[in-house]
Amino acid sequence: MTCGQTSGAPLPGGPCGLRERKKRRTREALLRTALGLFLAQGYERTTVDEIVDAVEVSQRTFFRYFANKEAVAFAVQEEVDARFLAELRQRPASEAPFEAMRRAALNAWSARTDSGEADIAVELQVRAYRMIESTPALHAAHTLRNVGLEQQTAALIAEREGIDPETDPRARVAVAAFSGVMRMTGQLWGGRKDAGADTLRELTELHLDELGPALAGSWRAA
């Protein structure tokens, strides 16, 4: 049976499984090497040639995995965003918008932990996040990407709630508040020395759980 056949899944140790593992290893090697070079000598000064030379692959191999240098810088964040959107699509319709987004964000990281990806993924995300925050060109691109993610999230929330996002602003308002908390959490997490998966989850839960109380009523002590 070949990889192109559909009658049955390939065995874990068979040709298809080996090929996929090799692809993952190559992509991870390119990603780790690129981030290491970006941090060591700067994003702008690092070239694709330097990345492929360090990994000992061709430029053609690089472009098979990444469209350009910027795509490498945002690869980890794109994976996290995609997982969040996938989780949000699966949340029960009975959940309120904030709860659905909260659960989607937390479950995205739980899925990484359960699959054994957490340590590698978090280490890469910390490195990528710090680099993006300290590189003006990447920071500007990150802002645009966040706008796109907010638009996709608002569209999903509007669809869940059966409203028209063009005439009903609630979905956009809810997502803007949620996204603001998530950005603040990311900044706090990126500055921590213990920036691991557990720390990110704890910070996310803490600040998202305070969103409702912060918006409702007076804060003045009696």
Side-chain angles (χ1 to χ4, degrees):
M1 183 175 292
T2 66
C3 292
Q5 291 177 301
T6 59
S7 57
L11 294 174
C16 296
L18 289 172
R19 186 175 298 117
E20 291 305 313
R21 286 198 295 273
K22 183 178 179 180
K23 288 180 180 178
R24 285 196 297 270
R25 286 195 298 269
T26 300
R27 185 179 186 278
E28 183 177 307
L30 287 167
L31 182 54
R32 284 184 176 278
T33 300
L35 292 177
L37 289 171
F38 292 159
L39 292 169
Q41 61 190 33
Y43 171 78
E44 301 290 355
R45 294 181 59 188
T46 301
T47 66
V48 172
D49 283 337
E50 289 176 307
I51 297 170
V52 299
D53 286 347
V55 183
E56 298 183 336
V57 297
S58 65
Q59 274 201 8
R60 182 178 180 182
T61 297
F62 176 91
F63 290 116
R64 189 179 302 142
Y65 295 96
F66 302 104
N68 49 44
K69 195 171 66 172
E70 183 180 294
V72 184
F74 287 103
V76 177
Q77 188 60 49
E78 285 193 353
E79 291 175 9
V80 173
D81 293 346
R83 193 183 293 265
F84 164 73
L85 291 173
E87 289 285 341
L88 182 57
R89 290 187 184 96
Q90 296 175 16
R91 298 310 305 164
S94 59
E95 287 182 346
F98 274 119
E99 182 63 15
M101 288 187 285
R102 177 184 181 278
R103 290 293 179 185
L106 295 175
N107 286 353
W109 283 103
S110 295
R112 286 180 175 272
T113 303
D114 294 343
S115 64
E117 298 175 1
D119 291 339
I120 295 175
V122 171
E123 183 264 342
L124 284 174
Q125 191 183 11
V126 171
R127 296 172 71 184
Y129 185 85
R130 289 173 177 167
M131 176 193 65
I132 290 167
E133 287 292 299
S134 62
T135 307
L138 291 178
H139 191 273
H142 192 211
T143 300
L144 291 176
R145 287 171 180 267
N146 282 337
V147 170
L149 177 62
E150 289 181 12
Q151 291 173 343
Q152 292 181 72
T153 305
L156 279 175
I157 293 298
E159 182 180 352
R160 281 172 50 89
E161 300 302 311
I163 64 173
D164 182 354
E166 297 301 321
T167 58
D168 190 328
R170 286 177 295 175
R172 294 194 300 275
V173 170
V175 171
F178 175 83
S179 298
V181 173
M182 293 299 292
R183 280 195 294 274
M184 178 193 64
T185 300
Q187 290 169 353
L188 292 173
W189 173 69
R192 294 276 292 264
K193 293 182 179 179
D194 58 337
D198 291 340
T199 304
L200 179 59
R201 184 182 180 90
E202 289 169 5
L203 286 171
T204 302
E205 286 186 303
L206 172 65
H207 291 92
L208 286 179
D209 288 348
E210 288 298 327
L211 181 56
L215 295 176
S218 174
W219 304 349
R220 295 186 182 90

